[in-house]
Amino acid sequence: MPASPSTARAINDRLALRLLQQEGPLTAGRLKQLTGLSRPTVADLVERLTASGLVTVVGESGEQRRGPNARVYGIVADRAHLAALDIRTEGVSVVVSDLVGRVLAEASAPIGEGAGTGPAVERAVALVERVAKEAGSLGASPPRELVPGWGRLHTVGIGAPGLIDPASGELRNSTGLPAWHRRLVAALQERLPEARVLVENETNLAALAEQREGVARDRDTFVLLWLGHGTGAAVVLDGALRRGASGGTGEIGFLPVPGTTSLPSATDCGGGFHSLVGSAAIAELAAEHGVSARPEGYEPHAAALVRQALATAGSCEAADGFLDALADRLAIGAASVSAVLDPGCVVLGGEVGQAGGAALAARVGRRLARISPLPTEVRASPLGGGAVLRGALLTARDGAQDELFAPPSSR
């Protein structure tokens, strides 16, 4: 059954906007080539999108040829602003961008373990408001009378440790995590009533960033092993992120593995994979091999230790021993994941994965090949801990564009 004229127009508009978002500014002629639509149809959709405030002329092309220059159209980046948060147990990082992802302002703030729930929430919310005001996303909007809310904060993407309820999308109460994490989400929604707030597990967001902009861009199926202060995993199968029945896919810290002195429990991952590759466990392993280093800023101590060991690898027996022992531990987790999912690719993410780089990934890959019958490539994340914030921003951008690019009747 053919689409109605209004449906066809909505489909064409959305296609054009997606192309402008992916390819950047384009001429009407180039839009015609990429969409396969007729010249009059492209002219009509450009007129509609311009009138709606989503597209504008950003320049001209053809300066080197005779005749009139072709107008170049681009998405109006200030049509909406986006915020992304990376919530850690030790603090919060915030970035605000425009609709196409250009960063306008960013900042981080530590939140000490001794801070009460109320003060911790207030400090985090105040940081978001300060960064948003710096970006021009709060307060008076730019003078654009045709579009209400122009330049305002439209969507907030939040990456947090713990389980996200797949039905409600809310951060579930998790043992061992600060109470202010859950309170912060509600507080942001209250203080920013016009903004849409989206919450996702931090490791899942890191996998999204690796899939879209990182080392897994050529992979439809892969597993990200998150190696930071703690450990976790994200599973992407056939291009889709898998969360599981309760949102717990990837809780690999609880995976029972050899090499520990006990078993994990329902409320404590001690004795699980976390006991082998969490930052504290890696620090103990480094101390056993005589490797020491001072962390930079708020990075996990393990990241500094791995970086220091790699700096002297090949000429220092202690450094090589530490890296080999760490690779053995990581290969155990990677082999377990591979035996169940056969992803073909494991990404070592987080600050520790980034610090280890290709050298640590190669060590893990060699050991994995010896203990697993399934061919599995091991790659190092180029994004590291920053992948969470980047993934949160991508999620916010997707959510905002899904709404803003939809036909007016469905908004």
Side-chain angles (χ1 to χ4, degrees):
M1 184 176 181
S4 66
S6 61
T7 300
R9 286 193 295 270
I11 293 172
N12 293 339
D13 290 356
R14 197 175 183 90
L15 174 60
L17 286 164
R18 286 299 181 192
L19 287 170
L20 288 168
Q21 188 262 319
Q22 295 167 5
E23 304 290 334
L26 300 168
T27 63
R30 183 59 178 152
L31 277 172
K32 175 181 177 298
Q33 292 177 343
L34 293 173
T35 61
L37 299 172
S38 67
R39 189 176 299 276
T41 299
V42 170
D44 287 343
L45 72 83
V46 167
E47 183 177 351
R48 282 194 303 273
L49 295 175
T50 302
S52 69
L54 288 171
V55 166
T56 190
V57 177
V58 297
E60 294 183 342
S61 69
E63 291 85 349
Q64 305 302 321
R65 62 175 175 81
R66 294 182 178 181
N69 295 333
R71 292 179 175 179
V72 178
Y73 297 91
I75 292 176
V76 180
D78 278 334
R79 174 64 181 84
H81 288 175
L82 318 168
L85 280 73
D86 180 3
I87 304 176
R88 305 288 181 99
T89 50
E90 70 277 4
V92 178
S93 295
V94 181
V95 61
V96 173
S97 81
D98 59 23
L99 186 57
V100 297
R102 181 173 60 93
V103 173
L104 304 174
E106 56 187 322
S108 298
I111 296 179
E113 294 182 4
T117 299
V121 169
E122 182 57 34
R123 183 169 188 179
V125 173
L127 178 68
V128 174
E129 291 179 331
R130 177 168 65 82
V131 177
K133 287 178 181 178
E134 183 181 338
S137 308
L138 296 179
S141 297
R144 185 80 180 226
E145 303 299 330
L146 295 178
V147 184
W150 191 273
R152 292 296 184 97
L153 201 57
H154 184 283
T155 305
V156 180
I158 300 177
L163 302 180
I164 308 299
D165 190 307
S168 66
E170 296 179 349
L171 183 64
R172 293 168 56 183
N173 189 17
S174 300
T175 303
L177 294 177
W180 63 266
H181 282 193
R182 296 188 74 232
R183 289 276 298 276
L184 175 58
V185 176
L188 283 172
Q189 193 68 80
E190 181 180 343
R191 295 271 277 270
L192 304 170
E194 297 180 359
R196 181 184 181 190
V197 178
L198 306 174
V199 187
E200 181 57 274
N201 172 266
E202 59 179 357
T203 309
N204 287 344
L205 290 179
L208 173 64
E210 296 293 351
Q211 181 187 35
R212 299 267 287 272
E213 300 180 350
V215 75
R217 283 173 292 179
D218 62 333
R219 302 289 310 190
D220 288 331
T221 296
F222 70 96
V223 169
L224 171 76
L225 287 185
W226 179 262
L227 305 169
H229 287 285
T231 185
V235 177
V236 176
L237 301 178
D238 299 324
L241 184 68
R242 307 295 178 172
R243 296 177 177 83
S246 63
T249 295
E251 288 296 314
I252 198 172
F254 287 87
L255 180 72
V257 291
T260 63
T261 58
S262 62
L263 289 174
S265 70
T267 58
D268 185 2
C269 59
F273 187 55
H274 174 81
S275 295
L276 294 184
V277 298
S279 183
I282 294 176
E284 290 178 3
L285 182 65
E288 292 173 6
H289 287 81
V291 175
S292 62
R294 186 182 299 275
E296 298 177 0
Y298 299 104
E299 73 172 354
H301 188 196
L305 291 165
V306 170
R307 191 165 50 245
Q308 174 62 30
L310 284 170
T312 57
S315 60
C316 176
E317 184 176 346
D320 284 314
F322 163 61
L323 293 171
D324 286 341
L326 176 58
D328 287 338
R329 293 183 174 191
L330 291 171
I332 290 174
S336 301
V337 166
S338 295
V340 176
L341 299 174
D342 188 18
C345 178
V346 171
V347 176
L348 304 183
E351 294 89 350
V352 178
Q354 184 182 38
L360 179 60
R363 289 178 188 247
V364 175
R366 289 192 293 270
R367 283 156 177 77
L368 179 58
R370 291 200 294 264
I371 62 176
S372 173
L374 306 175
T376 306
E377 185 180 2
V378 181
R379 301 178 179 179
S381 163
L383 302 176
V388 176
L389 202 57
R390 189 61 199 164
L393 191 59
L394 289 170
T395 297
R397 190 178 74 180
D398 289 347
Q401 290 181 350
D402 282 345
E403 180 177 326
L404 293 173
F405 292 0
S409 60
S410 65
R411 293 177 195 164

